[in-house]
Amino acid sequence: MARGTAQISQRVIQVARLIKSLKPEEQAQLGALVPELLRAPKAEAIRVNVKEAKRFVQEKLAKMADKYPPLSEDDEFLGGLTVKEYFSLPEEERERIWEKAHSMSIDDFEEYEP
């Protein structure tokens, strides 16, 4: 994913999680809308010790467990709904609620001054 020691921004991580949650048809639609995503940069192959990587991830998750416990069905999620209520809604309604919660206007961005 990242090359060298480059830090991955939280925005990119959030978008990646959202894209992973899309259905294959929706991912194809996204590819049609943003063809640049289909032209991935050439990646170098790396060798990973899977056991060591798994241990590392489990250690990091264990440290964060108290700060970010997993959501249960009864936890508040979006639009005043619980997780269970939100995911039991029709897809169109979930999309409307999601868009309302995550919409941004031009005023939400800081002006860049070089």
Side-chain angles (χ1 to χ4, degrees):
M1 239 166 145
R3 289 186 131 170
T5 58
Q7 195 74 359
I8 300 174
S9 76
Q10 286 300 311
R11 284 181 36 189
V12 172
I13 292 170
Q14 290 170 345
V15 169
R17 286 182 182 146
L18 179 61
I19 291 170
K20 285 181 180 182
S21 73
L22 296 175
K23 296 176 187 171
E25 306 83 42
E26 294 170 324
Q27 289 180 4
Q29 292 170 2
L30 181 63
L33 290 172
V34 189
E36 295 85 358
L37 293 175
L38 300 176
R39 289 183 233 118
K42 296 193 182 219
E44 298 176 23
I46 59 169
R47 295 194 185 272
V48 175
N49 179 328
V50 176
K51 287 182 181 177
E52 185 63 24
K54 189 174 184 178
R55 183 196 59 77
F56 175 80
V57 169
Q58 288 173 338
E59 282 180 11
K60 294 295 182 185
L61 289 174
K63 289 179 183 177
M64 296 182 349
D66 292 338
K67 293 180 184 176
Y68 304 102
L71 292 175
S72 72
E73 289 185 337
D74 297 325
D75 287 336
E76 189 173 326
F77 190 56
L78 284 176
L81 300 170
T82 65
V83 173
K84 184 177 182 176
E85 291 168 336
Y86 176 81
F87 285 101
S88 65
L89 293 171
E91 184 175 352
E92 297 80 24
E93 183 66 10
R94 288 194 317 261
E95 286 181 16
R96 186 190 65 73
I97 292 170
W98 182 271
E99 288 301 319
K100 183 177 180 184
H102 294 93
S103 66
M104 297 178 77
S105 75
I106 193 70
D107 297 329
D108 294 330
F109 295 93
E110 292 181 23
E111 188 172 336
Y112 174 75
E113 295 182 28

